[in-house]
Amino acid sequence: EPPADWSPVKTFREYLSALFSSDDYVGYVTEAWQDDSQKWLPRKGVWNRTAGELLELCTSTNDLTNIVGDWKQECGAWIRFNPLDGKGVSDSNVTAYRYALVESDAISIDRQYSIAKQLELPVAAMVHSGGKSLHLIVKIDAPDFKEYQKRVDFLYEVCKKNGMVIDRKNRNPSRLSRLPGATRNGKMQYLVATNVGKSSWQEWTE
């Protein structure tokens, strides 16, 4: 269930603190456009502000739009879960391969949650998308891009074998996920939990 005392700024602050160091550049998107099928698609967004700068802003306002800007209620807002170099938003701009996104639209949210808990996935942050899925930001901690891809493939295969089919388009390190604290069609994009399951990728694989 969504939190009764939900605070968008507090939610955003908790997410940043769980995933980033203060000097990490954070990419996020509040602007979107519609394609020919009327589907909302994110633009490139902002990539030149550090987690420390954003956390400082969180102490001076109770309105998340004062921190990240306005977003369209039809589609919500997004954030990149790996740190960037402050120069762009492609995979080549990722500075640390810490996390991967696990998301499955094919089964219910309750089932997604149950599988994640039973597998003890090393989840840094679990976010309700405001739609029909949880966004699990899983600790990968790969030393380079090649090892990141290898670990994500292993992660997805384990999830698949246990009933959670993952959209493989989500496997790149600069991928966008849902920004907790925003709203989408009147529903919250909220933080369900942080740091659940095993404490690290190594502990989980062992």
Coordinates of all heavy atoms in Angstrom, one line a residue, residues 87-163:
K87 N 28.4 15.1 -18.3 CA 28.5 15.5 -19.7 C 27.5 14.9 -20.7 O 27.4 15.4 -21.8 CB 29.9 15.2 -20.2 CG 31.0 15.8 -19.4 CD 32.4 15.3 -19.9 CE 33.5 15.9 -19.0 NZ 34.9 15.4 -19.4
G88 N 26.7 14.0 -20.2 CA 25.7 13.4 -21.1 C 25.0 12.2 -20.4 O 25.2 12.0 -19.2
V89 N 24.2 11.5 -21.2 CA 23.3 10.5 -20.6 C 23.4 9.1 -21.2 O 22.6 8.2 -21.0 CB 21.8 10.9 -20.6 CG1 21.7 12.2 -19.7 CG2 21.3 11.2 -22.0
S90 N 24.4 8.9 -22.1 CA 24.6 7.6 -22.7 C 25.3 6.6 -21.8 O 25.8 7.0 -20.8 CB 25.3 7.8 -24.1 OG 26.6 8.1 -23.8
D91 N 25.4 5.4 -22.3 CA 26.2 4.4 -21.5 C 27.6 4.8 -21.3 O 28.2 4.5 -20.3 CB 26.1 3.0 -22.2 CG 24.7 2.4 -22.1 OD1 23.9 2.8 -21.3 OD2 24.5 1.4 -22.9
S92 N 28.2 5.5 -22.3 CA 29.6 5.9 -22.2 C 29.8 7.0 -21.1 O 30.9 7.3 -20.7 CB 30.1 6.4 -23.5 OG 29.3 7.6 -23.9
N93 N 28.7 7.6 -20.7 CA 28.8 8.7 -19.6 C 28.6 8.1 -18.2 O 28.8 8.9 -17.2 CB 27.7 9.8 -19.8 CG 27.9 10.5 -21.2 OD1 27.0 10.4 -22.1 ND2 28.9 11.2 -21.3
V94 N 28.3 6.8 -18.1 CA 28.2 6.2 -16.8 C 29.6 6.0 -16.2 O 30.5 5.5 -16.8 CB 27.5 4.8 -16.9 CG1 27.5 4.1 -15.6 CG2 26.0 5.0 -17.3
T95 N 29.7 6.5 -14.9 CA 31.0 6.4 -14.2 C 31.2 5.3 -13.3 O 32.3 5.0 -12.9 CB 31.3 7.7 -13.5 OG1 30.2 7.9 -12.5 CG2 31.3 8.9 -14.4
A96 N 30.1 4.6 -12.9 CA 30.2 3.4 -12.0 C 29.0 2.5 -12.3 O 27.9 3.0 -12.4 CB 30.2 3.8 -10.6
Y97 N 29.3 1.2 -12.5 CA 28.3 0.2 -12.9 C 27.8 -0.4 -11.6 O 28.0 -1.6 -11.3 CB 28.9 -0.8 -13.8 CG 29.4 -0.1 -15.1 CD1 30.8 0.1 -15.2 CD2 28.6 0.3 -16.1 CE1 31.3 0.7 -16.3 CE2 29.1 0.9 -17.2 CZ 30.5 1.1 -17.3 OH 31.0 1.7 -18.5
R98 N 27.0 0.4 -10.8 CA 26.6 -0.1 -9.5 C 25.3 -0.9 -9.5 O 25.1 -1.8 -8.7 CB 26.4 1.1 -8.6 CG 27.7 1.9 -8.2 CD 27.3 3.1 -7.3 NE 28.5 4.0 -7.2 CZ 28.4 5.2 -6.9 NH1 27.2 5.8 -6.7 NH2 29.5 6.0 -6.9
Y99 N 24.4 -0.5 -10.4 CA 23.0 -1.0 -10.3 C 22.5 -1.4 -11.6 O 22.9 -1.0 -12.7 CB 22.1 0.0 -9.7 CG 22.6 0.7 -8.4 CD1 23.0 2.0 -8.4 CD2 22.6 -0.1 -7.2 CE1 23.5 2.6 -7.2 CE2 23.1 0.5 -6.0 CZ 23.5 1.8 -6.1 OH 24.0 2.4 -4.9
A100 N 21.5 -2.3 -11.6 CA 20.7 -2.7 -12.7 C 19.2 -2.7 -12.4 O 18.8 -2.8 -11.2 CB 21.1 -4.1 -13.2
L101 N 18.4 -2.5 -13.4 CA 17.0 -2.4 -13.3 C 16.3 -3.8 -13.5 O 16.5 -4.4 -14.6 CB 16.4 -1.4 -14.2 CG 14.8 -1.3 -14.3 CD1 14.3 -0.9 -12.9 CD2 14.4 -0.3 -15.3
V102 N 15.5 -4.2 -12.6 CA 14.7 -5.4 -12.7 C 13.2 -4.9 -12.7 O 12.8 -4.3 -11.7 CB 14.9 -6.4 -11.6 CG1 13.8 -7.5 -11.6 CG2 16.2 -7.1 -11.8
E103 N 12.5 -5.2 -13.8 CA 11.1 -4.8 -13.9 C 10.4 -5.8 -14.7 O 10.9 -6.3 -15.7 CB 11.0 -3.4 -14.6 CG 9.5 -3.0 -14.8 CD 9.4 -1.8 -15.8 OE1 10.4 -1.5 -16.5 OE2 8.3 -1.2 -15.9
S104 N 9.2 -6.2 -14.3 CA 8.4 -7.1 -15.0 C 6.9 -6.7 -15.0 O 6.3 -6.6 -14.0 CB 8.5 -8.5 -14.4 OG 7.7 -9.4 -15.1
D105 N 6.4 -6.4 -16.2 CA 5.0 -6.0 -16.4 C 4.1 -7.2 -16.6 O 2.8 -7.1 -16.6 CB 4.8 -5.1 -17.6 CG 5.4 -3.7 -17.4 OD1 5.6 -3.3 -16.2 OD2 5.7 -3.1 -18.4
A106 N 4.7 -8.4 -16.7 CA 3.9 -9.6 -17.1 C 3.2 -10.2 -15.9 O 2.3 -11.1 -16.1 CB 4.8 -10.6 -17.7
I107 N 3.6 -9.9 -14.7 CA 2.9 -10.5 -13.5 C 2.5 -9.4 -12.5 O 3.0 -8.3 -12.7 CB 3.9 -11.5 -12.8 CG1 5.2 -10.8 -12.4 CG2 4.1 -12.7 -13.6 CD1 6.2 -11.7 -11.6
S108 N 1.7 -9.7 -11.6 CA 1.2 -8.7 -10.6 C 2.3 -8.1 -9.8 O 3.3 -8.7 -9.6 CB 0.1 -9.3 -9.8 OG 0.7 -10.2 -8.8
I109 N 2.0 -6.9 -9.3 CA 3.0 -6.3 -8.4 C 3.2 -7.2 -7.1 O 4.3 -7.3 -6.6 CB 2.5 -4.9 -8.0 CG1 2.8 -3.9 -9.2 CG2 3.3 -4.4 -6.8 CD1 2.5 -2.5 -9.0
D110 N 2.2 -7.8 -6.6 CA 2.3 -8.6 -5.4 C 3.3 -9.8 -5.7 O 4.1 -10.1 -4.9 CB 0.9 -9.2 -5.0 CG 0.1 -8.1 -4.3 OD1 0.6 -7.1 -4.0 OD2 -1.1 -8.4 -4.1
R111 N 3.1 -10.3 -6.9 CA 4.0 -11.5 -7.3 C 5.4 -11.0 -7.5 O 6.4 -11.7 -7.1 CB 3.4 -12.1 -8.6 CG 4.2 -13.4 -9.0 CD 3.9 -14.5 -8.0 NE 4.6 -15.7 -8.5 CZ 5.4 -16.5 -7.6 NH1 5.4 -16.2 -6.4 NH2 6.0 -17.6 -8.1
Q112 N 5.6 -9.8 -8.1 CA 6.9 -9.3 -8.3 C 7.6 -9.1 -6.9 O 8.8 -9.5 -6.8 CB 6.8 -7.9 -9.0 CG 6.3 -8.0 -10.4 CD 6.0 -6.6 -10.9 OE1 6.8 -5.6 -10.8 NE2 4.9 -6.4 -11.6
Y113 N 6.9 -8.6 -6.0 CA 7.4 -8.3 -4.6 C 7.8 -9.7 -4.0 O 8.9 -9.8 -3.4 CB 6.4 -7.6 -3.8 CG 6.8 -7.3 -2.4 CD1 7.6 -6.2 -2.1 CD2 6.4 -8.1 -1.3 CE1 8.1 -5.9 -0.8 CE2 6.8 -7.8 0.0 CZ 7.7 -6.7 0.2 OH 8.1 -6.4 1.5
S114 N 6.9 -10.6 -4.1 CA 7.2 -11.9 -3.5 C 8.4 -12.6 -4.0 O 9.2 -13.1 -3.3 CB 5.9 -12.9 -3.7 OG 4.8 -12.4 -3.0
I115 N 8.5 -12.6 -5.3 CA 9.7 -13.2 -6.0 C 11.0 -12.5 -5.5 O 12.0 -13.2 -5.2 CB 9.6 -13.2 -7.5 CG1 8.4 -14.2 -7.9 CG2 10.9 -13.7 -8.2 CD1 8.1 -14.1 -9.4
A116 N 11.0 -11.2 -5.5 CA 12.2 -10.5 -5.1 C 12.6 -10.8 -3.7 O 13.8 -11.0 -3.4 CB 11.9 -9.0 -5.3
K117 N 11.6 -10.9 -2.8 CA 11.9 -11.2 -1.4 C 12.4 -12.6 -1.3 O 13.3 -12.9 -0.5 CB 10.6 -11.0 -0.6 CG 10.2 -9.5 -0.5 CD 11.0 -8.7 0.5 CE 10.6 -9.1 1.9 NZ 11.3 -8.2 2.9
Q118 N 11.7 -13.6 -2.0 CA 12.1 -15.0 -1.8 C 13.5 -15.2 -2.4 O 14.3 -16.1 -1.9 CB 11.1 -15.9 -2.5 CG 9.7 -15.9 -1.8 CD 8.6 -16.5 -2.6 OE1 8.8 -17.0 -3.7 NE2 7.4 -16.4 -2.1
L119 N 13.9 -14.5 -3.5 CA 15.2 -14.7 -4.1 C 16.3 -13.9 -3.3 O 17.5 -14.0 -3.5 CB 15.2 -14.2 -5.5 CG 14.5 -15.0 -6.5 CD1 14.5 -14.4 -7.9 CD2 15.1 -16.4 -6.6
E120 N 15.8 -13.1 -2.3 CA 16.7 -12.2 -1.6 C 17.6 -11.4 -2.5 O 18.8 -11.2 -2.3 CB 17.6 -13.0 -0.6 CG 16.7 -13.7 0.5 CD 17.6 -14.5 1.5 OE1 18.1 -15.6 1.2 OE2 17.8 -13.9 2.6
L121 N 17.0 -10.8 -3.5 CA 17.8 -10.0 -4.4 C 18.4 -8.8 -3.7 O 17.8 -8.2 -2.8 CB 16.8 -9.4 -5.5 CG 16.2 -10.4 -6.5 CD1 15.3 -9.7 -7.5 CD2 17.3 -11.1 -7.3
P122 N 19.6 -8.5 -4.0 CA 20.3 -7.4 -3.3 C 19.8 -6.0 -3.8 O 20.5 -5.3 -4.6 CB 21.8 -7.6 -3.6 CG 21.8 -8.3 -5.0 CD 20.5 -9.1 -5.0
V123 N 18.7 -5.6 -3.3 CA 18.0 -4.4 -3.8 C 18.4 -3.2 -3.0 O 18.2 -3.1 -1.8 CB 16.4 -4.6 -3.8 CG1 15.7 -3.3 -4.1 CG2 16.0 -5.8 -4.6
A124 N 18.9 -2.2 -3.7 CA 19.3 -0.9 -3.1 C 18.0 -0.1 -2.9 O 17.9 0.6 -1.9 CB 20.3 -0.2 -4.0
A125 N 17.1 -0.1 -3.9 CA 15.9 0.7 -3.8 C 14.8 -0.1 -4.5 O 15.0 -0.6 -5.6 CB 16.1 2.1 -4.3
M126 N 13.6 -0.1 -3.9 CA 12.4 -0.7 -4.6 C 11.4 0.4 -4.7 O 11.0 1.0 -3.7 CB 11.9 -1.8 -3.7 CG 10.7 -2.6 -4.2 SD 10.1 -3.9 -3.1 CE 11.5 -5.0 -3.1
V127 N 11.0 0.7 -6.0 CA 10.1 1.8 -6.3 C 8.8 1.3 -6.9 O 8.9 0.6 -7.9 CB 10.8 2.8 -7.2 CG1 9.9 4.0 -7.5 CG2 12.1 3.3 -6.5
H128 N 7.7 1.8 -6.4 CA 6.4 1.5 -7.1 C 6.3 2.5 -8.3 O 6.5 3.7 -8.1 CB 5.3 1.8 -6.2 CG 4.0 1.2 -6.7 ND1 3.3 1.8 -7.8 CD2 3.2 0.2 -6.3 CE1 2.2 1.1 -8.0 NE2 2.1 0.2 -7.1
S129 N 6.1 2.0 -9.5 CA 6.2 2.9 -10.7 C 5.0 3.8 -10.8 O 5.0 4.7 -11.7 CB 6.3 2.0 -11.9 OG 5.1 1.3 -12.1
G130 N 4.0 3.6 -10.0 CA 2.7 4.4 -10.3 C 1.9 3.7 -11.4 O 0.8 4.2 -11.7
G131 N 2.4 2.6 -11.9 CA 1.7 1.8 -12.9 C 1.5 0.4 -12.5 O 1.0 0.1 -11.3
K132 N 2.0 -0.5 -13.3 CA 1.7 -1.9 -13.0 C 3.0 -2.7 -12.7 O 3.0 -3.9 -12.8 CB 1.0 -2.6 -14.1 CG 1.7 -2.5 -15.5 CD 0.8 -3.1 -16.6 CE 1.5 -3.0 -18.0 NZ 0.7 -3.6 -19.1
S133 N 4.0 -2.0 -12.2 CA 5.3 -2.7 -11.9 C 6.0 -2.1 -10.8 O 5.8 -0.9 -10.5 CB 6.2 -2.8 -13.2 OG 6.6 -1.5 -13.5
L134 N 6.9 -2.9 -10.2 CA 7.9 -2.4 -9.2 C 9.2 -2.2 -10.0 O 9.5 -3.0 -10.9 CB 8.1 -3.4 -8.1 CG 7.0 -3.6 -7.1 CD1 7.4 -4.7 -6.1 CD2 6.7 -2.3 -6.3
H135 N 9.9 -1.2 -9.7 CA 11.3 -1.0 -10.3 C 12.3 -1.4 -9.2 O 12.4 -0.7 -8.2 CB 11.5 0.4 -10.7 CG 10.8 0.7 -12.0 ND1 11.1 1.8 -12.8 CD2 9.7 0.1 -12.6 CE1 10.3 1.8 -13.9 NE2 9.5 0.8 -13.8
L136 N 13.0 -2.5 -9.4 CA 13.9 -3.0 -8.4 C 15.3 -2.5 -8.9 O 15.8 -2.9 -10.0 CB 13.9 -4.5 -8.3 CG 12.5 -5.1 -8.1 CD1 12.6 -6.6 -8.1 CD2 11.9 -4.6 -6.8
I137 N 16.0 -1.7 -8.1 CA 17.3 -1.2 -8.4 C 18.3 -2.1 -7.7 O 18.5 -2.0 -6.5 CB 17.5 0.3 -8.0 CG1 16.4 1.1 -8.5 CG2 18.9 0.8 -8.5 CD1 16.2 1.1 -10.0
V138 N 18.8 -3.1 -8.4 CA 19.6 -4.2 -7.8 C 21.1 -3.9 -7.9 O 21.6 -3.4 -8.9 CB 19.3 -5.5 -8.6 CG1 20.2 -6.6 -8.1 CG2 17.8 -5.8 -8.6
K139 N 21.8 -4.2 -6.7 CA 23.2 -3.9 -6.6 C 24.0 -4.9 -7.5 O 23.8 -6.1 -7.4 CB 23.6 -4.1 -5.2 CG 23.0 -3.2 -4.2 CD 23.2 -3.6 -2.8 CE 22.4 -2.7 -1.8 NZ 22.6 -3.2 -0.4
I140 N 24.8 -4.4 -8.4 CA 25.6 -5.1 -9.4 C 27.1 -5.0 -9.1 O 27.8 -5.9 -9.1 CB 25.3 -4.7 -10.8 CG1 23.8 -5.0 -11.2 CG2 26.3 -5.3 -11.8 CD1 23.6 -6.5 -11.4
D141 N 27.5 -3.7 -8.9 CA 28.9 -3.4 -8.5 C 29.9 -4.1 -9.4 O 30.8 -4.7 -9.0 CB 29.1 -3.8 -7.0 CG 28.3 -3.0 -6.1 OD1 28.1 -1.8 -6.3 OD2 27.8 -3.6 -5.1
A142 N 29.7 -3.9 -10.7 CA 30.6 -4.4 -11.7 C 31.8 -3.5 -11.9 O 31.6 -2.2 -11.9 CB 29.9 -4.7 -13.0
P143 N 33.0 -4.0 -12.2 CA 34.2 -3.2 -12.4 C 34.2 -2.5 -13.7 O 34.9 -1.5 -13.9 CB 35.3 -4.1 -12.2 CG 34.8 -5.5 -12.6 CD 33.4 -5.4 -12.1
D144 N 33.5 -3.0 -14.7 CA 33.5 -2.4 -16.1 C 32.2 -2.8 -16.8 O 31.4 -3.6 -16.3 CB 34.8 -2.9 -16.8 CG 34.9 -4.4 -16.9 OD1 33.9 -5.1 -17.1 OD2 36.1 -4.9 -16.7
F145 N 32.1 -2.3 -18.0 CA 30.9 -2.5 -18.8 C 30.7 -3.9 -19.2 O 29.6 -4.5 -19.1 CB 30.9 -1.6 -20.0 CG 29.7 -1.7 -20.9 CD1 28.4 -1.3 -20.4 CD2 29.7 -2.1 -22.2 CE1 27.3 -1.4 -21.2 CE2 28.6 -2.2 -23.0 CZ 27.4 -1.8 -22.5
K146 N 31.7 -4.6 -19.6 CA 31.7 -6.0 -20.0 C 31.2 -6.9 -18.8 O 30.3 -7.7 -19.0 CB 33.0 -6.5 -20.5 CG 33.0 -7.9 -21.1 CD 34.4 -8.3 -21.6 CE 34.3 -9.7 -22.2 NZ 35.7 -10.1 -22.8
E147 N 31.7 -6.7 -17.7 CA 31.3 -7.5 -16.5 C 29.9 -7.1 -16.1 O 29.1 -8.0 -15.6 CB 32.3 -7.2 -15.3 CG 31.9 -8.0 -14.1 CD 32.0 -9.5 -14.3 OE1 32.7 -10.0 -15.2 OE2 31.4 -10.3 -13.4
Y148 N 29.5 -5.8 -16.3 CA 28.2 -5.4 -16.0 C 27.2 -6.2 -16.8 O 26.2 -6.7 -16.3 CB 28.0 -3.9 -16.2 CG 26.6 -3.3 -16.0 CD1 26.3 -2.9 -14.7 CD2 25.7 -3.2 -17.0 CE1 25.0 -2.4 -14.5 CE2 24.4 -2.7 -16.8 CZ 24.1 -2.3 -15.5 OH 22.8 -1.8 -15.3
Q149 N 27.4 -6.3 -18.1 CA 26.5 -7.0 -19.0 C 26.4 -8.5 -18.6 O 25.3 -9.1 -18.6 CB 27.0 -6.9 -20.4 CG 26.9 -5.5 -21.0 CD 27.4 -5.4 -22.5 OE1 28.5 -5.8 -22.8 NE2 26.5 -5.0 -23.4
K150 N 27.5 -9.0 -18.2 CA 27.6 -10.4 -17.8 C 26.7 -10.7 -16.6 O 25.9 -11.6 -16.5 CB 29.0 -10.9 -17.6 CG 29.2 -12.3 -17.2 CD 30.7 -12.6 -17.0 CE 30.9 -14.1 -16.5 NZ 32.3 -14.3 -16.3
R151 N 26.9 -9.8 -15.6 CA 26.1 -9.9 -14.3 C 24.6 -9.7 -14.5 O 23.8 -10.3 -13.9 CB 26.7 -9.0 -13.3 CG 28.1 -9.3 -12.9 CD 28.6 -8.4 -11.7 NE 30.0 -8.8 -11.4 CZ 30.7 -8.3 -10.4 NH1 30.1 -7.5 -9.5 NH2 31.9 -8.7 -10.1
V152 N 24.3 -8.7 -15.4 CA 22.9 -8.4 -15.6 C 22.2 -9.6 -16.3 O 21.1 -10.0 -16.0 CB 22.7 -7.1 -16.5 CG1 21.3 -7.0 -16.9 CG2 23.1 -5.9 -15.7
D153 N 22.9 -10.2 -17.3 CA 22.4 -11.4 -17.9 C 22.1 -12.5 -16.9 O 21.1 -13.2 -17.0 CB 23.4 -11.9 -19.0 CG 23.4 -11.0 -20.3 OD1 22.4 -10.3 -20.4 OD2 24.3 -11.1 -21.0
F154 N 23.1 -12.7 -16.0 CA 22.9 -13.8 -15.0 C 21.7 -13.4 -14.1 O 20.9 -14.3 -13.8 CB 24.2 -13.9 -14.1 CG 24.1 -14.9 -13.0 CD1 24.2 -16.2 -13.2 CD2 23.8 -14.4 -11.7 CE1 24.1 -17.1 -12.2 CE2 23.7 -15.3 -10.7 CZ 23.9 -16.7 -10.9
L155 N 21.6 -12.2 -13.7 CA 20.5 -11.7 -12.8 C 19.1 -12.0 -13.5 O 18.2 -12.5 -12.9 CB 20.6 -10.2 -12.5 CG 19.5 -9.5 -11.9 CD1 19.2 -10.0 -10.5 CD2 19.7 -8.0 -11.8
Y156 N 19.0 -11.6 -14.8 CA 17.8 -11.7 -15.5 C 17.4 -13.2 -15.7 O 16.3 -13.6 -15.7 CB 17.9 -11.0 -16.9 CG 17.7 -9.5 -16.8 CD1 17.8 -8.8 -15.6 CD2 17.6 -8.8 -18.0 CE1 17.6 -7.5 -15.6 CE2 17.4 -7.4 -17.9 CZ 17.5 -6.7 -16.7 OH 17.3 -5.4 -16.7
E157 N 18.4 -14.0 -15.9 CA 18.2 -15.5 -16.1 C 17.7 -16.1 -14.8 O 16.7 -16.9 -14.9 CB 19.5 -16.2 -16.6 CG 19.3 -17.6 -17.0 CD 18.3 -17.8 -18.2 OE1 18.2 -16.9 -19.0 OE2 17.6 -18.8 -18.2
V158 N 18.2 -15.7 -13.7 CA 17.7 -16.2 -12.4 C 16.3 -15.8 -12.2 O 15.4 -16.6 -11.8 CB 18.6 -15.8 -11.3 CG1 18.0 -16.1 -9.9 CG2 20.0 -16.4 -11.4
C159 N 16.0 -14.5 -12.5 CA 14.6 -14.0 -12.3 C 13.7 -14.8 -13.2 O 12.6 -15.1 -12.8 CB 14.6 -12.5 -12.6 SG 15.4 -11.5 -11.3
K160 N 14.1 -15.0 -14.5 CA 13.2 -15.7 -15.4 C 12.9 -17.1 -15.0 O 11.8 -17.5 -15.0 CB 13.9 -15.7 -16.8 CG 13.1 -16.4 -17.9 CD 13.9 -16.4 -19.2 CE 13.1 -17.1 -20.3 NZ 13.8 -17.1 -21.6
K161 N 13.9 -17.8 -14.5 CA 13.7 -19.2 -14.0 C 12.7 -19.2 -12.8 O 12.2 -20.3 -12.5 CB 15.0 -19.8 -13.6 CG 15.9 -20.1 -14.8 CD 17.2 -20.8 -14.3 CE 18.1 -21.2 -15.5 NZ 19.4 -21.7 -15.0
N162 N 12.6 -18.1 -12.1 CA 11.7 -18.1 -10.9 C 10.4 -17.3 -11.2 O 9.8 -16.9 -10.2 CB 12.5 -17.5 -9.8 CG 13.6 -18.4 -9.2 OD1 13.2 -19.3 -8.4 ND2 14.8 -18.3 -9.7
G163 N 10.1 -17.2 -12.4 CA 8.8 -16.6 -12.8 C 8.7 -15.2 -13.0 O 7.6 -14.7 -13.2

